[in-house]
């Protein structure tokens, strides 16, 4: 059994199914709770738990193999520790592009083109592909489409759990969609790791395809979507646009004087011309010397100054020159204007009006954020999922919300969609959704919860569900555990299944016990 230290915490890295079973027995006999770690993108869950000595931390780093692949049918069985793509921040250094799932399904040349006919692909994926299969699925992660969904590909899951009598090794097969009470729908996706250790997935893939699209930067009034309308003015409503576009998302910079919409959209294209197809990859920011890492670092430092510099300067001003109560508002207003000036200057470079066209092999192009370093330009999130048929109401409410500059902050919000799902704790269970992905620059000195709380409170009448892998409202708040439980019609059924599979609470870690109210 290998182990690995991360942040002075020991992680167990089993190299086989048998060793994984042994860890479950060890946890049972020692009274510890198992916590699974994937690529570490679910940052709200990780730091505090690494300090808890009652927990046993496990990574499936070496359970990262494709164990079966039928090239004629496109079915693949892959272990849960396999990364979707290269994880450049894998602390163990095991992740490579060559051993990633998407590359093995559709291998490319070093130039990013095909020298063999297209292989296989997943219907959709998120903005990055650093995650492991286990981590991506456990948190109910998703790409930006109501036509396609990652979880549509999952046909079976293999899970190890302890039923009180011993370790059980069982595979659950996907039933017909009408069989909504089948335990597969509680285990296969958005299971949060509280049932057991999912060690293997079987997927039905799709033939490889290309995408082509554009990113257009405009003001809200000039956007091709009727962002706040019903689609009766010649532009599609947001619901119509999401429904009719294969893959899309947009950023909104709502600050007064900024008011920028950066709209990314792409549609599928045939890969029949694979011999002559030359990708033109999407660039999220202007690359300095062609380097996304340099651009990420520079952008990160600019936003660090934008978020923290004027606050620091204001404190120095007050300390050196003092202030009277009547001057307090004037000082705050002066530095707010400085923030506005720097933001507008920044957006002239990174959100300049215009259109960028791109085309790419699907699994390279759909993860549109994959080339930006999420360590050098670190962003945190809280994400609200609301039924798509309320999109117009949501956007009007968001527009009103942003009339207060404090709510707008100095960053943008990402707005996209997800396809309805049958998985019980998937945040799109039973309905297509619009998603409000609230950005917070991680190097900001302030507390992200204070900023997120404004959104959690304001949008609570919309009865949102939250992305499980991002910041959640405090469990004891009005939008906490009870609020979230009530959003899921199958929550009690999920919990009954959980208790049947894990009567000793070997997998119910403190984070989920708190946030699920269990």
């Amino acid at each position: 059994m290998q182990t690995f230290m991360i942040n002075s915490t020991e992680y167990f890295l089993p190299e086989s199914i048998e060793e994984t079973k042994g860890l479950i027995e060890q946890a049972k006999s020692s009274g510890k709770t198992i916590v699974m770690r994937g690529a570490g993108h679910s940052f709200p869950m990780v730091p505090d738990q690494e300090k808890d000595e009652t927990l046993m931390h496990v990574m499936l780093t070496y359970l990262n193999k494709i164990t079966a692949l039928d090239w004629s049918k496109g079915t693949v069985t892959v272990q849960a520790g396999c990364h979707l793509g290269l994880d450049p921040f894998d602390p163990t250094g095991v992740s490579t592009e060559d051993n990633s799932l998407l590359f093995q399904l559709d291998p490319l040349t070093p130039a990013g083109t095909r020298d063999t006919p297209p292989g296989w692909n997943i219907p959709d994926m998120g903005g990055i592909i650093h995650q492991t299969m286990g981590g991506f699925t456990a948190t109910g992660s998703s790409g930006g489409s109501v036509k396609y969904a990652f979880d549509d590909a999952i046909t079976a899951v293999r899970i190890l759990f302890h039923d009180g009598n011993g370790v059980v090794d069982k595979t659950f097969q996907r039933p017909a969609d009408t069989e909504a009470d089948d335990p597969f729908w509680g285990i296969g996706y958005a299971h949060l790791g509280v049932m057991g250790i999912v060690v293997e997935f079987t997927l039905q893939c799709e033939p490889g395809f290309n995408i082509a699209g554009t990113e257009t930067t405009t003001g809200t009034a000039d956007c091709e979507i009727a962002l706040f309308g019903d689609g009766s003015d010649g532009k599609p409503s947001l619901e119509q646009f999401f429904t009719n576009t294969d893959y899309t998302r947009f950023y909104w910079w709502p600050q007064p004087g900024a008011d920028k919409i950066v709209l990314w959209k792409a549609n599928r294209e045939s890969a029949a011309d694979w011999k002559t197809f030359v990708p033109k990859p999407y660039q999220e920011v202007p690359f300095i010397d062609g380097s996304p890492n340099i651009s990420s670092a520079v952008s990160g430092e600019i936003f660090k100054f934008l978020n923290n510099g004027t606050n620091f300067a204001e404190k120095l001003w007050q300390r050196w020159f003092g202030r009277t109560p009547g001057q307090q508002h004037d000082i705050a207003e002066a530095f707010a204007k400085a923030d506005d000036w720097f933001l507008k200057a920044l957006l002239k470079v990174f959100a300049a009006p215009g259109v960028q066209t791109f085309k790419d092999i699907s699994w390279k192009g759909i993860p549109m954020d994959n080339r930006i370093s999420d360590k050098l330009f670190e962003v945190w999130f809280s994400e609200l999922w609301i039924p798509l048929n309320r999109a117009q109401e949501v956007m009007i409410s968001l527009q009103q919300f942003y009339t207060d500059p404090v709510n707008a902050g100095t960053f943008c919000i990402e707005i996209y969609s997800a396809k309805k799902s049958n998985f019980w704790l998937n945040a799109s269970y039973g309905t297509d959704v619009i998603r409000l992905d609230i950005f917070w620059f991680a190097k900001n000195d302030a507390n992200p919860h204070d900023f997120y709380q404004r959104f959690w409170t304001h949008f609570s009448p919309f009865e949102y569900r939250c992305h499980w892998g991002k910041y959640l409202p405090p469990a004891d708040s009005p939008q906490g555990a009870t609020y979230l439980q009530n959003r899921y019609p199958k929550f009690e059924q999920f919990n009954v299944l959980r208790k049947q599979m894990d009567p000793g609470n070997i997998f119910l870690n403190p984070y989920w016990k708190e946030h699920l109210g269990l």
Side-chain angles (χ1 to χ4, degrees):
M1 173 74 67
Q2 292 199 39
T3 61
F4 191 86
M5 300 299 293
I6 303 176
N7 298 329
S8 302
T9 298
E10 183 179 42
Y11 279 80
F12 292 90
L13 279 58
E15 298 181 73
S16 67
I17 297 296
E18 290 306 311
E19 284 192 352
T20 310
K21 292 178 181 178
L23 286 176
I24 296 175
E25 291 286 12
Q26 183 180 337
K28 172 67 174 176
S29 62
S30 64
K32 290 198 171 185
T33 301
I34 290 179
V35 177
M36 303 300 298
R37 185 189 191 276
H41 290 287
S42 297
F43 41 83
M45 305 180 199
V46 176
D48 290 340
Q49 295 195 113
E50 286 184 331
K51 303 171 186 175
D52 191 335
E53 296 182 355
T54 68
L55 305 180
M56 176 185 289
H57 299 272
V58 179
M59 294 176 67
L60 299 183
T61 300
Y62 295 108
L63 293 182
N64 66 340
K65 310 296 189 298
I66 287 179
T67 58
L69 177 57
D70 187 329
W71 278 106
S72 64
K73 297 179 180 178
T75 57
V76 60
T77 300
V78 58
Q79 293 178 319
C82 186
H83 289 80
L84 300 177
L86 165 68
D87 179 6
F89 309 110
D90 177 11
T92 67
V94 171
S95 172
T96 65
E97 183 167 77
D98 287 355
N99 64 25
S100 70
L101 172 63
L102 294 170
F103 180 85
Q104 292 180 82
L105 290 175
D106 185 27
L108 304 179
T109 69
T113 58
R114 297 183 174 110
D115 58 7
T116 57
W120 298 95
N121 197 12
I122 308 300
D124 193 16
M125 57 210 76
I128 59 172
I129 49 174
H130 305 163
Q131 308 95 323
T132 63
M133 273 293 301
F136 190 90
T137 56
T139 52
S141 296
S142 172
S145 176
V146 295
K147 290 186 176 183
Y148 309 103
F150 188 103
D151 57 290
D152 283 346
I154 299 174
T155 61
V157 290
R158 181 183 179 187
I159 185 170
L160 310 179
F161 57 98
H162 200 296
D163 66 358
N165 298 312
V167 177
V168 179
D169 181 348
K170 186 172 181 178
T171 298
F172 290 82
Q173 302 288 337
R174 187 185 192 104
D177 285 351
T178 54
E179 298 179 40
D181 292 333
D182 192 285
F184 174 83
W185 301 117
I187 297 167
Y189 214 75
H191 56 79
L192 311 181
V194 298
M195 302 282 190
I197 301 178
V198 174
V199 292
E200 210 167 60
F201 298 85
T202 300
L203 309 174
Q204 176 58 64
C205 304
E206 296 186 3
F209 56 93
N210 299 329
I211 62 164
T214 59
E215 182 179 78
T216 305
T217 302
T218 65
T220 54
D222 297 321
C223 182
E224 66 182 84
I225 313 168
L227 293 169
F228 314 104
D230 61 4
S232 61
D233 61 354
K235 294 182 178 182
S237 69
L238 187 54
E239 180 180 0
Q240 292 166 341
F241 181 80
F242 281 155
T243 301
N244 295 325
T245 309
D246 289 352
Y247 306 98
T248 188
R249 66 100 186 270
F250 66 90
Y251 291 150
W252 182 11
W253 298 84
Q255 295 79 9
D259 193 29
K260 297 281 189 181
I261 298 292
V262 183
L263 174 62
W264 184 101
K265 64 176 182 178
N267 286 302
R268 292 187 175 195
E269 291 195 341
S270 169
D273 62 344
W274 62 272
K275 291 183 179 180
T276 58
F277 180 76
V278 178
K280 181 185 177 185
Y282 164 71
Q283 293 188 2
E284 185 168 8
V285 298
F287 289 155
I288 300 172
D289 292 333
S291 170
N293 282 340
I294 294 176
S295 297
S296 297
V298 171
S299 302
E301 288 306 308
I302 291 173
F303 269 98
K304 181 178 180 179
F305 172 77
L306 189 63
N307 280 281
N308 299 325
T310 54
N311 290 335
F312 178 68
E314 181 179 353
K315 291 176 183 177
L316 285 180
W317 180 283
Q318 293 168 2
R319 181 173 179 180
W320 290 345
F321 299 104
R323 67 179 180 189
T324 65
Q327 292 175 312
Q328 181 175 354
H329 178 76
D330 293 337
I331 294 172
E333 188 177 77
F335 283 104
K337 288 179 179 178
D339 267 350
D340 288 345
W341 186 91
F342 281 113
L343 179 62
K344 291 171 188 176
L346 180 67
L347 292 181
K348 286 182 179 179
V349 177
F350 293 102
V355 180
Q356 175 187 172
T357 61
F358 57 87
K359 58 182 179 178
D360 214 337
I361 291 168
S362 56
W363 67 270
K364 284 287 191 178
I366 294 174
M368 74 289 285
D369 301 325
N370 207 52
R371 299 183 70 197
I372 298 298
S373 171
D374 51 3
K375 297 298 182 184
L376 297 174
F377 189 73
E378 191 173 2
V379 181
W380 294 346
F381 314 91
S382 183
E383 188 168 308
L384 313 182
W385 299 39
I386 301 168
L388 183 58
N389 60 15
R390 303 192 69 182
Q392 183 183 4
E393 295 176 69
V394 169
M395 290 300 295
I396 291 172
S397 182
L398 188 60
Q399 184 182 41
Q400 294 170 343
F401 180 71
Y402 279 145
T403 57
D404 183 345
V406 176
N407 294 335
T410 57
F411 215 166
C412 58
I413 186 171
E414 180 181 35
I415 301 175
Y416 54 147
S417 61
K419 184 182 177 183
K420 69 178 180 180
S421 172
N422 288 326
F423 289 97
W424 296 343
L425 254 60
N426 197 335
S428 62
Y429 175 79
T431 181
D432 295 335
V433 296
I434 177 175
R435 298 155 64 183
L436 305 182
D437 193 11
I438 307 157
F439 285 16
W440 174 265
F441 185 61
K443 296 178 182 178
N444 194 326
D445 289 339
N447 185 344
H449 276 99
D450 294 339
F451 184 64
Y452 293 145
Q453 188 62 58
R454 297 170 178 270
F455 292 82
W456 294 331
T457 300
H458 179 82
F459 287 97
S460 58
F462 286 93
E463 299 186 341
Y464 56 76
R465 299 166 182 164
C466 288
H467 189 310
W468 293 115
K470 302 181 180 182
Y471 275 93
L472 301 175
D476 59 354
S477 73
Q479 299 82 36
T482 300
Y483 179 94
L484 295 180
Q485 281 186 19
N486 291 336
R487 304 285 76 79
Y488 294 89
K490 295 286 186 179
F491 182 86
E492 187 53 38
Q493 194 162 336
F494 175 90
N495 195 34
V496 168
L497 177 62
R498 182 197 67 79
K499 288 188 284 189
Q500 290 173 351
M501 295 180 64
D502 184 29
N505 290 336
I506 297 172
F507 301 98
L508 184 60
N509 64 61
Y511 183 89
W512 289 124
K513 185 175 182 179
E514 176 185 4
H515 283 286
L516 295 177
L518 301 178

